[in-house]
Amino acid sequence: MHVKLKLNCFISFRLLHFKMEQLDELFDFFLDPKPEVRQLASDHLKSFTGVETLKQEAFKEYFTQRATRVVTQCVKLIHLDWHNFPIAAHNAISALTNLVVDATIAAQVPQHPEFLPLLVTIVSLPDSVLADPVSMLLSNLTKHEGPAVALLKTDTALEDLADVFVKGVDKMYNKQANYDFLASVFANLSMFPIARVYFLVPSSRDGLLPITRLMVFSEHKNIIRRGGVISAIKNCCFESKYHAELLKDGGSADLLPYILLPLCGPEAFDDDDMEGMPEDLQLLPEDKRRESDPKLRQMIVETLLILTNTRPGREAMRARKVYPVLRELHKVENSQPVLDAIDDVVQMLMRDEMSEPKEEASAKKPKTDDDMIIEEII
């Protein structure tokens, strides 16, 4: 049977009674010499990896049982086509993005040590049409420990991704990409101490703390970008020995304004409240709006709670008038989890410091935040 005709039969297979052995044949075309054949084959694979299809037990079982071949063929096709024939590569990237939601399939990716460096390269090129699709793939991959650790071990990967994340905001670096999903990658990677320390120590490239490059997006208009940044900041705050420097007025990070501004509305503070308060929080405009997503507000308040687990953290937050911000937020907040978190922070700030508290923030493992969902390509 002619190659294209045989491949086009998969269209009817999707509509009729599909047999798994026929899907096996599909992968035989992934390395066909003709790029249009590879494109057609990868397009058919993508169509079988939508959320509704993967909910079917037969398809789920098929992909997990054949995880090695599925990942190997997709990796080979992406290597072959990402530069000269990106349409086929895009299909394979989209299919992998959906498939690696499954831990068994995601675990196969580190078995191809050249693949993650290639993904970082694709994201980093200023003319790459695949930068955003690869960012989404990395976002889903780094939900799993194996691929996340492998990416962290990839030379300069974090630095390169952070660079393009900053330069590429609002398509300023690449007209075909905004790199917002890299924020989710940073949120995932910051679950690991090695990544948290990377964000909290001066960079060899510019001498700045890498976290300062992220926190400026805590009020960005795109919820994926600001949500990932807020989650990464929260995770980094579990490194308690850095609390004093993070909260120092005029310090190398000066984190407080960036996590308090999303909690602020247009309310005016009196002179006593503003004494010591970060200048960015004083005299806010009448159109100032708080973070609209209650889960992100909760995450920010929980970040403040983590910072109260050390005495330097509590003292800095008292001196810089965190309480008045929380007081005003409490007046208008309608989410009970946020209200509960506010109460917890206030209790910590009002505590008697005569007895030294038990320092335990650094011993806790960051939790995966509910809003940092795994993405799926339809």
Side-chain angles (χ1 to χ4, degrees), residues 43-63:
D43 181 60
H44 286 315
L45 175 64
K46 176 184 174 182
S47 70
F48 286 112
T49 64
V51 62
E52 293 303 321
T53 302
L54 293 179
K55 283 181 179 179
Q56 300 178 37
E57 195 61 35
F59 282 100
K60 182 178 179 181
E61 182 178 352
Y62 171 86
F63 284 117

Side-chain angles (χ1 to χ4, degrees), residues 320-367:
R320 304 193 70 192
K321 301 299 180 68
V322 168
Y323 172 74
V325 175
L326 295 180
R327 181 193 65 210
E328 297 304 314
L329 172 62
H330 195 278
K331 291 178 181 178
V332 298
E333 182 57 62
N334 53 20
S335 168
Q336 191 59 49
V338 179
L339 290 169
D340 292 343
I342 292 172
D343 290 341
D344 290 340
V345 176
V346 171
Q347 288 183 30
M348 292 294 287
L349 292 179
M350 298 300 179
R351 69 182 298 165
D352 182 2
E353 297 290 0
M354 292 302 293
S355 58
E356 188 68 22
K358 182 180 179 180
E359 311 290 4
E360 57 183 11
S362 62
K364 298 179 181 178
K365 181 180 178 181
K367 297 179 181 179

Side-chain angles (χ1 to χ4, degrees), residues 221-242:
K221 60 187 177 182
N222 185 282
I223 191 171
I224 294 172
R225 178 173 282 254
R226 73 176 186 271
V229 163
I230 290 169
S231 182
I233 291 172
K234 176 183 175 182
N235 288 341
C236 287
C237 288
F238 280 96
E239 296 296 322
S240 58
K241 68 179 181 179
Y242 296 96

